[in-house]
């Protein structure tokens, strides 16, 4: 039985927002993307609601919307803005070094090219395999491996080059 | 899984914890869907009207028919009676239970929210204004609103946030705990929306009521400052302690009480008051035009 659009939204809006937040590294952009996608999904819900996994279909729409986002802020990839993130949902107090390392890694992920970032999110957050990522991104499996390999190389290199203690300073001066 | 991959997983998990609350997204979606439905209806109506006009022009009135003024056609696509004042911005988050109680257009376009039934601007309240230029923010704390430079001032349980979007916007909260946090959260939720307009309840020689306040769509008070005279239209009778003198106004029997004249017309009370009595008060009340469909549906509504 086809679920109603309203039921679908009630059930899926939070998972979609979570996925979009991780994908975009920007809660505001995530809200815009999810809004846009749900509005379009509603217009063709007869078709989307009847596929096997409507949530997977809509998730793919979110991915595509992000990758083809026409309203890129300042016409460039948006670097993660900790102030913006924390204004929406303040981070849980955690002053350990471990927390700083995760923040530092977030900064580096946010600077990755969009497709590489999407591939990384799908692999390490969604636990997709190469074929699933390829299907989601609409590219070959080899391309997926290439995206992930390059992303890992970048993240690993920046991690190696990073001076000790940089993590604790990353929030400063960012906007 | 190596160390880098483990750190990536942990970092993405941290980011997921910062997922925004779905409320603003659901509200915005609801509005857009409603607007979309209205647009479809308006387009269909406009299309049918166009067909009727074309048939009339081509068949019945061929040579004598003058085409309609394009402005008239455009007016048909505007909600209400086309006299809407643009508000341009709307919040998508407010403290629980807050409803709108006032709209003013005399200086900076202003909207006020508070608990249902409360007097506008009483505590607690949220006020959003659009200014023409940046106010003096010397001594205010720097902040960020949607990535834009902003300034915050906190005074006890009140806080104001000012930032420059397309216009200079100002969110003020009063009488709430964590005023700074609430003001910033409201400010973060403000979005531009060109379709939010407001049709004031009355007009006087081309000027519209500047302020409307109330507690429900059928319980409101509107006013316009006309030189030294305050012209008012309200759903309730103004307070006029005895003695009252009868006076003819708008072709009906009204009352004069000191420097105030008032009359009930079409279920509404129309009045004018000044510091001294003059016959101009009666003339002004006579000239008040009530709009066909005053926009009061927003009164007492949340977001």
């Amino acid at each position: 039985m086809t679920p109603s659009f309203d039921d679908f939204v009630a059930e899926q809006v939070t998972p979609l927002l979570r996925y979009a937040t991780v994908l975009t590294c920007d809660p505001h952009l995530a809200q815009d993307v999810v809004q846009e996608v749900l509005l379009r999904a509603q217009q063709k819900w007869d078709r989307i609601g009847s596929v096997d996994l409507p949530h997977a279909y809509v998730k793919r729409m979110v991915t595509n919307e992000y990758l083809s986002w026409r309203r890129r802020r300042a016409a460039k990839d948006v670097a993660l803005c900790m102030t913006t993130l924390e204004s929406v949902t303040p981070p849980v107090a955690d002053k350990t070094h471990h927390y700083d390392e995760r923040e530092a890694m977030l900064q580096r992920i946010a600077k990755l090219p969009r497709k590489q970032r999407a591939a990384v999110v799908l692999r390490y957050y969604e636990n997709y395999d190469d074929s699933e990522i390829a299907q989601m991104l609409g590219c070959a499996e080899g391309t997926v491996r290439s995206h992930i390999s390059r992303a890992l190389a970048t993240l690993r290199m920046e991690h190696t080059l990073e001076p000790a203690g940089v993590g604790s300073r990353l929030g400063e001066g960012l906007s | 899984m190596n160390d880098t991959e483990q750190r990536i997983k942990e970092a993405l998990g941290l980011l997921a914890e910062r997922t925004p609350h779905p409320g603003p997204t659901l509200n915005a979606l609801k509005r857009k869907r409603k607007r979309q439905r209205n647009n479809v209806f308006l387009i269909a109506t406009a299309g049918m009207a166009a067909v009727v006009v074309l048939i009339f022009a081509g068949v019945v009135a061929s040579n004598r028919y003058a085409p309609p003024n394009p402005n008239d056609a455009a007016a048909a696509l505007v909600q209400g009676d086309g006299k809407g004042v643009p508000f341009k911005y709307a919040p998508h988050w407010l403290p629980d239970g807050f409803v709108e109680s006032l709209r003013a257009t005399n200086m900076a376009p202003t909207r006020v929210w508070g608990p249902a039934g409360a007097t506008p601007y009483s505590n607690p309240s949220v006020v959003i204004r659009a200014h023409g230029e940046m106010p003096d923010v010397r001594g205010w704390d720097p902040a960020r609103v949607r990535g834009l430079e902003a300034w915050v001032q906190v005074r006890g349980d009140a806080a104001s946030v000012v930032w420059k979007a397309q216009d200079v916007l100002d969110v003020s909260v009063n009488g709430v705990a964590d005023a700074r946090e609430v003001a910033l959260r409201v400010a973060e939720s403000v979005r531009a929306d060109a379709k939010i307009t407001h049709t004031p309840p009355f007009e006087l020689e081309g000027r519209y009521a500047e302020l409307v306040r109330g507690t429900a769509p059928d319980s409101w008070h509107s006013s316009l400052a006309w030189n030294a005279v305050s012209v008012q239209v309200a759903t309730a009778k103004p307070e006029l302690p005895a003695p009252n003198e009868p006076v003819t106004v708008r072709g009906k029997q009204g009352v004069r009480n000191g420097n105030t004249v008032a009359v009930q017309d079409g279920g509404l009370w129309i009045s004018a008051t000044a510091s001294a009595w003059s016959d101009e008060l009666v003339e002004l009340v006579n000239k008040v035009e009530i709009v066909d469909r005053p926009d009061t549906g927003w009164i007492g509504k949340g977001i």
Side-chain angles (χ1 to χ4, degrees):
Chain A
M1 186 181 151
T2 303
S4 77
F5 179 72
D6 289 334
D7 289 345
F8 173 82
V9 169
E11 193 180 318
Q12 293 295 329
V13 66
T14 300
L16 286 172
L17 274 172
R18 191 179 301 123
Y19 172 63
T21 301
V22 176
L23 192 63
T24 61
C25 295
D26 179 341
H28 296 305
L29 184 57
Q31 285 175 320
D32 289 345
V33 165
V34 170
Q35 248 177 56
E36 192 83 23
V37 163
L38 288 177
L39 201 62
R40 278 195 280 120
Q42 183 247 328
Q43 288 163 0
K44 37 189 180 181
W45 187 247
D46 285 348
R47 188 162 59 81
I48 296 173
S50 61
V51 302
D52 284 344
L53 297 168
H55 67 276
Y57 190 98
V58 176
K59 194 184 224 177
R60 185 169 176 175
M61 287 175 75
V62 168
T63 310
N64 290 337
E65 183 69 17
Y66 161 68
L67 291 174
S68 65
W69 190 247
R70 295 177 295 278
R71 287 171 276 172
R72 291 182 185 190
R73 293 179 188 175
K76 61 184 179 185
D77 280 350
V78 181
L80 181 66
C81 164
M82 298 317 297
T83 316
T84 306
L85 281 170
E86 289 171 8
S87 69
V88 176
T89 311
V92 177
D94 178 353
K95 298 189 184 303
T96 64
H97 176 63
H98 189 57
Y99 179 82
D100 292 336
E101 283 179 352
R102 286 183 292 167
E103 294 286 5
M105 178 58 84
L106 274 185
Q107 298 289 331
R108 295 195 294 273
I109 292 170
K111 289 177 188 163
L112 289 174
R114 288 180 170 233
K115 283 213 166 177
Q116 285 184 27
R117 197 196 309 172
V120 165
V121 167
L122 291 168
R123 165 62 52 81
Y124 296 106
Y125 182 70
E126 297 287 332
N127 297 317
Y128 282 15
D129 62 25
D130 287 350
S131 65
E132 288 170 320
I133 297 173
Q135 198 178 6
M136 187 68 108
L137 298 183
C139 62
E141 289 183 35
T143 310
V144 169
R145 285 192 285 275
S146 165
H147 282 322
I148 291 176
S149 163
R150 286 182 189 182
L152 283 178
T154 305
L155 297 174
R156 200 175 289 130
M157 186 160 50
E158 290 193 16
H159 177 56
T160 309
L161 292 174
E162 202 168 77
V166 70
S168 61
R169 297 195 302 272
L170 273 166
E172 296 172 11
L174 286 169
S175 60
Chain B
M1 183 171 291
N2 63 37
D3 190 41
T4 303
E5 290 173 314
Q6 185 58 38
R7 283 173 199 274
I8 291 170
K9 274 184 99 71
E10 289 173 359
L12 294 175
L14 179 68
L15 188 52
E17 288 171 12
R18 297 174 187 174
T19 301
H21 189 276
T25 304
L26 292 173
N27 283 335
L29 186 67
K30 201 167 145 188
R31 279 171 213 276
K32 285 184 177 178
R33 287 172 70 187
K34 190 174 174 188
R35 194 180 303 146
Q36 218 168 42
R37 281 197 296 270
N38 287 342
N39 287 346
V40 168
F41 175 74
L42 287 171
I43 288 166
T45 307
M48 285 170 63
V51 169
V52 170
V53 167
L54 285 171
I55 291 170
F56 179 72
V59 179
V60 181
S62 56
N63 294 329
R64 290 176 295 162
Y65 178 68
N69 183 332
N71 291 333
D72 296 342
L77 294 172
V78 179
Q79 285 187 337
D81 60 2
K83 293 168 182 168
V85 176
F87 268 100
K88 292 168 71 177
Y89 299 94
H92 289 262
W93 182 86
L94 289 169
D96 280 346
F98 272 37
V99 298
E100 194 164 6
S101 60
L102 179 145
R103 288 184 175 185
T105 54
N106 47 351
M107 295 172 74
T110 302
R111 300 173 72 182
V112 179
W113 288 263
T119 306
Y121 293 113
S122 61
N123 289 343
S125 65
V126 170
V127 181
I128 298 183
R129 294 186 194 86
H131 296 279
E133 46 189 60
M134 183 65 81
D136 184 0
V137 290
R138 276 177 294 184
W140 291 35
D141 297 333
R144 290 269 165 189
V145 171
R146 286 177 67 81
L148 298 170
E149 198 171 21
W151 291 268
V152 185
Q153 186 184 50
V154 181
R155 280 180 292 192
D157 62 357
S160 293
V161 184
V162 175
W163 77 103
K164 173 94 172 66
Q166 289 169 345
D167 299 292
V168 175
L169 299 175
D170 165 1
V171 169
S172 297
V173 302
N174 298 283
V176 298
D178 302 323
R180 177 191 169 95
E181 190 186 321
V182 172
L184 281 168
R185 188 165 177 193
V186 173
E188 287 282 351
S189 78
V190 171
R191 300 284 188 279
D193 192 336
K195 302 205 172 165
I196 294 182
T197 60
H198 163 61
T199 304
F202 74 91
E203 175 186 350
L204 178 58
E205 294 196 330
R207 287 179 59 192
Y208 297 96
E210 299 164 326
L211 189 145
V212 185
R213 60 182 165 79
T215 54
D218 58 355
S219 176
W220 49 265
H221 178 280
S222 62
S223 60
L224 168 67
W226 184 272
N227 300 324
V229 179
S230 173
V231 181
Q232 302 171 20
V233 173
T235 52
K237 184 181 181 180
E239 287 184 17
L240 299 170
N244 293 319
E245 294 172 33
V247 58
T248 301
V249 56
R250 298 175 75 88
K252 302 172 188 298
Q253 181 170 316
V255 292
R256 176 191 164 180
N257 181 285
N259 302 324
T260 298
V261 61
V263 65
Q264 190 175 26
D265 189 357
L268 296 173
W269 281 91
I270 306 169
S271 62
T273 188
S275 56
W277 172 262
S278 82
D279 291 339
E280 189 199 7
L281 297 181
V282 174
E283 285 171 31
L284 288 174
V285 172
N286 281 334
K287 288 177 184 170
V288 166
E289 290 176 46
I290 307 294
V291 303
D292 288 342
R293 282 177 289 163
D295 171 15
T296 57
W298 53 270
I299 301 172
K301 275 182 70 175
I303 54 173

